[in-house]
Amino acid sequence: MPQTAIEPLSLEPSSLAPRPLERPPLAPLPADFFDPDCPVQTMPVLGGKKWTWKLMRCLEGGPRRFSELRVPLVGITAKVLAETLRAMEHDGVVSRTEYAENPPRVEYALTPLGRSLLGPMDAVCGWSREHLAALLEAREAYERDEREGRGGADRADRADRVDRVDRAEPRRAG
C-alpha cells in the first residue's frame, strides 16, 4: 500500500486566517419556480395592507363597532378603515352584521377563516420579537452604508455581522 506524505500543520498567522466558504454554484431558478396552486399573492394578510393585522387583533376578542375600532388605530381615517374592513369582508376574514335598531348599529367580527389566521400571526409576531434587534441593526447598518457611499462587499460583511449578532442574542421564551 503506497504511503502518502502528510503535510505538517502550519501555525503561521496566514494559515490560520479564515477562508471563505466555497460552495457549488446554484442552479438557475426556473421560470415556473412558484407553484401555481399556491395563492400567496392573494392572501389578504400577507399583502402590504397596513391596517389588516391590527384590525384582526382588535377583533380577536369579539365583535366591535366601527367607532370602537378607531380608538386603538391611531392615525387611521374613517375612509381607510371602511376600505380595509370592506376588503377583509370581501376576502372572507371579517363579517359585517347590521342590526335594525334606531340608531342603526353595525358590528364587525372575525369569521372562522379570519380566526384561522391568528396562529400564523402569532408565529410571525414571535419571530419579530426574537429577531427585532438583528433586523434593526441590519437597517441601521444599511442606512449608514448608504450615507457613507458604501455598498456591495461591505453589505455582505454587514449581513455576516448581523447574522452573528442574531445568533449571539439570548432567546427569550415568548
Side-chain angles (χ1 to χ4, degrees), residues 110-121:
L110 289 177
T111 63
L113 181 63
R115 290 203 165 282
S116 73
L117 287 168
L118 294 174
M121 283 177 58

Side-chain angles (χ1 to χ4, degrees), residues 127-128 131-147 155 158-159 161-162:
W127 181 92
S128 298
H131 298 284
L132 182 61
L135 179 72
L136 295 175
E137 165 61 24
R139 287 178 180 173
E140 185 179 298
Y142 183 93
E143 290 166 6
R144 186 174 47 250
D145 287 352
E146 287 294 308
R147 282 191 307 271
R155 287 200 179 126
R158 181 186 64 247
R161 284 194 316 275
V162 168

Side-chain angles (χ1 to χ4, degrees), residues 48-150:
K49 297 176 184 173
K50 177 179 179 178
W51 298 102
T52 304
W53 280 35
K54 290 180 179 182
L55 272 167
M56 290 186 69
R57 286 295 180 204
C58 291
L59 295 170
E60 183 175 14
R64 298 285 180 174
R65 296 178 73 172
F66 190 90
S67 58
E68 290 178 286
L69 293 170
R70 289 200 64 192
V71 173
L73 299 173
V74 178
I76 193 169
T77 64
K79 177 183 183 247
V80 170
L81 178 56
E83 288 171 351
T84 305
L85 286 166
R86 197 173 305 115
M88 293 171 73
E89 185 180 8
H90 179 264
D91 289 334
V93 296
V94 165
S95 64
R96 180 179 187 271
T97 305
E98 295 182 39
Y99 295 92
E101 299 174 351
N102 193 5
R105 179 170 57 109
V106 176
E107 288 183 341
Y108 297 89
L110 289 177
T111 63
L113 181 63
R115 290 203 165 282
S116 73
L117 287 168
L118 294 174
M121 283 177 58
D122 290 341
V124 170
C125 289
W127 181 92
S128 298
R129 277 190 295 276
E130 187 174 330
H131 298 284
L132 182 61
L135 179 72
L136 295 175
E137 165 61 24
R139 287 178 180 173
E140 185 179 298
Y142 183 93
E143 290 166 6
R144 186 174 47 250
D145 287 352
E146 287 294 308
R147 282 191 307 271
E148 296 171 6
R150 293 185 297 185

